[in-house]
Amino acid sequence: MTRALGRLVREIRRCRLCVEAPLGKPLPHEPRPVLRVSTTARLAIVGQAPGTRVHASGIPYSDPSGRRLRDWMGVSEDEFYDEARIAIIPMGFCFPGLDAAGGDLPPRRECAPHWRPRLFALLPQVELVLLVGLYAQRWHLGSDARRSMHETVRDFRSLMERPGLPRVIPLPHPSWRNNSWLNKNPWFEAVLLPELRRKVGGLIRDQSKNKPFTPVDHSSRTN
């Protein structure tokens, strides 16, 4: 990690914007920013914000959603958590709290505009960004984002083939709350996931110091 990136990550881990200078109600608990970055990771996962389990553990995707995402990507747990190869950069670094129905609130509004431009400026080596969920897609795609998550994910090929780097692949959130969407859209598993695994596998293989990439066995997958 370069000195500049190291300094910025230390700043982020000390961040208290959502408590001391909130846009709206302050965060109702102590901040615990969660992210994983390096100067060598060529793949970045951009999700929404940590949930309750991740807030407790400090480990991103340490929940059933993480298991499903690793399955989608075709990577092992060790590969997923190798920050030399995979960066994990949520839209909001801290757990935002729960709404009245018990679901996670949206990412805090203070976080992205304050930190993301500076952080991504120090990650020029990233070649592929997985945009997990609507908030990530709207921020990173800007005017190229479609009207809904469904339309954005459905149009993944044209978005992935946009000129320039990093490339992007939009994904739904791997939460159980999206089981109905997944069941109604079998093309996601049949068409998008093979392309996702091919792209991710290529980046992992290139950085594995000549060790062959071994895809995960998907035959026993459970949703």
Side-chain angles (χ1 to χ4, degrees), residues 27-178:
L27 191 72
H29 50 261
E30 188 67 15
R32 188 180 191 181
V34 176
L35 75 159
R36 298 171 68 89
V37 293
S38 72
T39 57
T40 58
R42 294 163 59 196
L43 170 64
I45 299 168
V46 175
Q48 181 164 296
T52 53
R53 294 191 188 187
V54 175
H55 179 68
S57 69
I59 302 172
Y61 292 102
S62 56
D63 54 18
S65 292
R67 289 195 293 273
R68 174 178 267 176
L69 180 59
R70 290 188 284 276
D71 175 67
W72 286 355
M73 295 168 63
V75 298
S76 69
E77 189 169 341
D78 287 343
E79 290 166 333
F80 186 82
Y81 287 116
D82 181 359
E83 68 181 35
R85 291 186 279 178
I86 298 179
I88 302 175
I89 311 170
M91 290 302 301
F93 293 130
C94 293
F95 170 53
L98 300 175
D99 61 24
D104 290 357
L105 289 168
R108 296 289 307 194
R109 290 184 293 146
E110 307 90 351
C111 197
H114 187 81
W115 293 117
R116 295 190 89 70
R118 295 167 61 191
L119 183 57
F120 273 87
L122 296 174
L123 301 173
Q125 81 287 351
V126 170
E127 297 178 28
L128 176 66
V129 179
L130 308 185
L131 301 177
V132 183
L134 185 62
Y135 293 99
Q137 291 159 15
R138 284 178 173 171
W139 175 274
H140 284 270
L141 293 175
S143 61
D144 284 341
R146 304 328 189 220
R147 289 181 300 175
S148 66
M149 183 276 293
H150 171 81
E151 292 178 5
T152 300
V153 175
R154 185 84 190 191
D155 206 17
F156 78 96
R157 286 198 185 280
S158 66
L159 293 170
M160 187 173 62
E161 293 168 359
R162 296 186 311 169
L165 291 176
R167 304 289 189 194
V168 299
I169 298 180
L171 300 171
H173 196 280
S175 167
W176 62 269
R177 295 176 185 273
N178 276 330

